[in-house]
Amino acid sequence: MAPPTSRSFLAALLLSSTAFVRADTVYSADAGYDSGAYGVTPTQSFYTSDLLPPALNFKTNSSSASSNYTFLSYRGTDAVQPAPIIVDNNGDLVWSGADQGISNTMDLLVQEYQGEPVLTTFVGDFYAAGYGMGHWLMMNSSYDIIKNVTVLNQTESTSDFHEFVITENNTALVESWVLVQADLTALNGSTDGWTFDCRFQEIDIATDTLLFSWSAMDHVSIDETYFEISDNAGNSSSNPMDWYALEKDANGNYLISMRGPSTLYSISSTTGEILWRLSGKNSNFTMGTDATFWYQHDARFMTPITSSPFNISLFDNAAGGGAPAEATARGLVLSVDTDDMTVTLMKEFIPSFNSTAASQGSVQPLDNGNFLVGWGAEAYYSEYDIDETLIQDVHFASDNSTVMSYRAFKMSWTGTPSTTPAFAINSTGTTTAYVSWNGATEVVSWALMGGSSATNLSTISTTAKSGFETSLDVSGSYTYLAAAALSSSGECLGATEIYEVSTLKTTGTAGSCPSGTTSTASTSATSETTSGATSLQASAAVLAFSLLALLA
């Protein structure tokens, strides 16, 4: 079947390295996918929508993997339609932010605000030095934007894209990169060189009140970084030296993860002083066998810190500051003992591709006891069981693609969009109708309705929802068609517009719910708190500013 001929699809089709497949195509351990035989970025297309999400290749897939939705910040120069996306455990699209004009982004995930789950993601500009300038969106379960959050009281009040965490106190932890002059002689630079000062703030979301602010340049010596000056970096404001970034904790103090120094820092929330350094050139801890990490991302407390020892999860990039420091990137769980000042490796997750990750990455403990690792600049996400066995390995672009996702998460989510379901008809002969609803998670089946009058449609058939876009066979001759979304209890969640079969076009008139069903209007609240949000806040509402030396 031919893909839809929308403007966005035709523009994407001009990219000769891209292969388009029909709706809800998923690959299984397909070597051709990995090698690029189907194009650099195999991409799905639909009759009902202009959305162009990636087609996934499940290289390994066990029934013991978490069934929660996967959240990706799908982007890169080879991404046909970069956007924040949610996919289900079958690899089918659930939601794409492209419908709302959200393109390149970072860190899509579910968090909790004022007792309700919200989606959060970054929108703004990306720069080659590995930072951004923009703001963070908070969306409710209907995907309505309820708040924009950014840093306060700075010359340029724009946030960087590396981190946005909502704490259990309904505050936001945000960060920014501020260009400053600095003495770079410790790095063989000039006395009046240029670098970035990585700063973070804690802000009351409801009142936009600044509660705490911290500057790395005020507390960390620049010679702690392993990054080196190259290509005259640091000699001008247009070519600054980038060397570090940051993070926060749950017991009042902050956890800062600085990638350049390959160090975690505990910061006093009252004085801003450094309480301890973990790893790096000036570590206060004795690092156990294989516990040392390099150019890390996403360091998180796995539980609220109440006593020593405690566990921290993090992503070890193993590269990012010149020659690789290790053979492969890793997901890590470390036991930190602040009494004996020792760090012990507890768990290690090795990628199937056995290589480093130049930037980005994440490690997430899951509610089922497993761990999800997002491989950052490598277009993979992988789930491991408690014994460190790889049980799900998903590739979302070919080996030679520039596609990436800053992090990957598995979380529960209930989406009740305030939009209308989408409908399409592909022929006037043997008719097949198609229906989808971007972001709707509660649809179980679709009722197809038809009739000779647009004002009097009756139910023709009911079809179980299948993937993002469901095909509906039309038996018989009808002048007008429409479809309605049904929940597991038979409630009508919404109806499409009514389409005229002879023209294959919408009449512009909204369809009605089938006779005998109860209509349920979309609401902005959901009834359950997501397990993912709970897990994130249990990990101490850590503010994670992860410096990317260079974003591919």
Side-chain angles (χ1 to χ4, degrees), residues 261-272:
S262 297
T263 302
L264 306 184
Y265 299 79
S266 177
I267 305 298
S268 168
S269 62
T270 55
T271 66

Side-chain angles (χ1 to χ4, degrees), residues 181-187 189-195 217 222:
Q181 280 197 282
D183 184 350
L184 303 181
T185 54
L187 304 177
S190 65
T191 57
D192 56 353
W194 292 87
T195 188
M217 291 293 286
I222 201 167

Side-chain angles (χ1 to χ4, degrees), residues 94-114:
V94 174
W95 176 78
S96 170
D99 258 358
Q100 294 171 244
I102 306 174
S103 182
N104 281 307
T105 187
M106 300 283 268
D107 212 23
L108 176 72
L109 74 157
V110 181
Q111 303 194 61
E112 185 177 314
Y113 177 63
Q114 295 182 342

